[in-house]
Amino acid sequence: MNRKIALRATVGASAMALAIFSTAYVAEATTAEPKDTGALAKMSHSAAKAKLDNAGIGIRSSGGCSDRNNPTCTSLEQVNSASIDGAITLKGASGCALTVTGGTETGHADGQYSHWNGYKLDFAMSSCLTSYIKNTFTSIGGNKWQSGSGNIYFDESNHWDVTFHNCGGCFKGGKG
């Protein structure tokens, strides 16, 4: 009989501790700043640009601006963190100079995995980048190549349109 009482007391104390912890955690979660939610976390233009700048990746805008609602600008507002990390992976793995020429600004094609939704970046065409993509990734037809991680590289003749489904292995001195 004492064993049942002791077990009930232990279960009761555990439930009480869980309730107290849960209440404190919920209170903290509802009052704290939003946390990064991973690969699909949206970034501000300035945070994404700073990260690219630190990696030595340039940004070029035909309109000399970053307004997301202007199609002549190059905006990174609301870009997925995986897209920015994927660009950094691409630079590290390829050893090529990279310049972003298209981001989340209006004027690109619609769709789930679109520029507007933060999945795509355009890169200036270069012989280094073209050679790396065509010699490293698998041709899937229609001027498209797919990396082992599933990202899609589309040769649009005057730029590379890249769909980042993930960060491409997140280059950390390895193959990317």
Side-chain angles (χ1 to χ4, degrees), residues 36-44 78-81 116-119:
D36 181 11
T37 58
L40 298 181
K42 300 297 184 181
M43 299 181 74
S44 68
Q78 296 297 301
V79 69
N80 293 338
S81 61
W116 184 262
N117 289 337
Y119 288 91

Side-chain angles (χ1 to χ4, degrees), residues 57-101:
I57 298 172
I59 300 173
R60 184 172 63 224
S61 166
S62 61
C65 49
S66 63
D67 180 354
R68 188 170 196 225
N69 295 303
N70 182 337
T72 66
C73 296
T74 298
S75 176
L76 298 173
E77 191 64 38
Q78 296 297 301
V79 69
N80 293 338
S81 61
S83 298
I84 298 302
D85 291 340
I88 294 167
T89 298
L90 179 60
K91 182 182 187 325
S94 69
C96 300
L98 292 182
T99 302
V100 174
T101 60

